[in-house]
Amino acid sequence: MQNIQTQSEQEYQKWLRAFYKGSFFVKGWDSIKRELYSKVGNQRDEIEQLLDELGDLIGREWAKDNHIRKIDTDDLKQWGDHLRHVGKHSTDDITAAIHSIKEEAYSRLAA
């Protein structure tokens, strides 16, 4: 079943905005990116590209109707926590975490 059959474009866009902007209870992707940018120094461009690609991948899937999507809110919380935790370490750790999350996301999408 395709998402368009169960969710309007307007509803999908609303959830996509929520992914990036967050809410009172949950930090959005934009906030997580800003936290990490402050830690990576001169490798910001590389990290920015990786985070933009990852955010696009997981955000587009998470914004779909609950019955369709393969990435859920628990995934977002787990991945966001992981990125914030590795953000306290080296840029290499951040890069490795991004690649690990991306692999896991692709694995879920392929299932």
Side-chain angles (χ1 to χ4, degrees):
M1 179 183 302
Q2 292 185 8
N3 193 55
I4 195 86
Q5 295 170 328
T6 60
Q7 183 183 41
S8 70
E9 180 66 22
Q10 182 178 1
E11 185 73 9
Y12 175 78
Q13 291 297 326
K14 179 183 94 170
W15 286 109
L16 193 57
R17 278 190 302 279
F19 168 77
Y20 283 102
K21 301 301 176 196
S23 70
F24 181 74
F25 300 104
V26 179
K27 285 188 173 190
W29 191 250
D30 290 343
S31 177
I32 292 170
K33 289 188 331 182
R34 280 192 303 275
E35 280 183 48
L36 294 173
Y37 293 162
S38 70
K39 314 256 191 251
V40 296
N42 63 355
Q43 291 181 300
R44 179 184 167 140
D45 289 345
E46 175 190 348
I47 298 297
E48 185 173 11
Q49 181 178 350
L50 291 172
L51 287 171
D52 285 347
E53 290 170 2
L54 181 61
D56 185 53
L57 173 69
I58 63 179
R60 285 184 296 122
E61 183 66 23
W62 177 81
K64 293 178 181 177
D65 182 79
N66 289 350
H67 297 95
I68 303 284
R69 70 183 184 196
K70 296 180 179 182
I71 293 174
D72 62 26
T73 302
D74 289 340
D75 296 324
L76 298 185
K77 289 178 184 176
Q78 177 185 354
W79 294 336
D81 289 346
H82 183 58
L83 286 170
R84 283 192 295 277
H85 174 74
V86 298
K88 299 173 185 172
H89 302 287
S90 73
T91 302
D92 289 341
D93 291 336
I94 294 170
T95 302
I98 293 168
H99 287 297
S100 174
I101 292 167
K102 190 173 185 178
E103 286 178 26
E104 189 174 344
Y106 275 125
S107 175
R108 288 179 187 264
L109 293 175

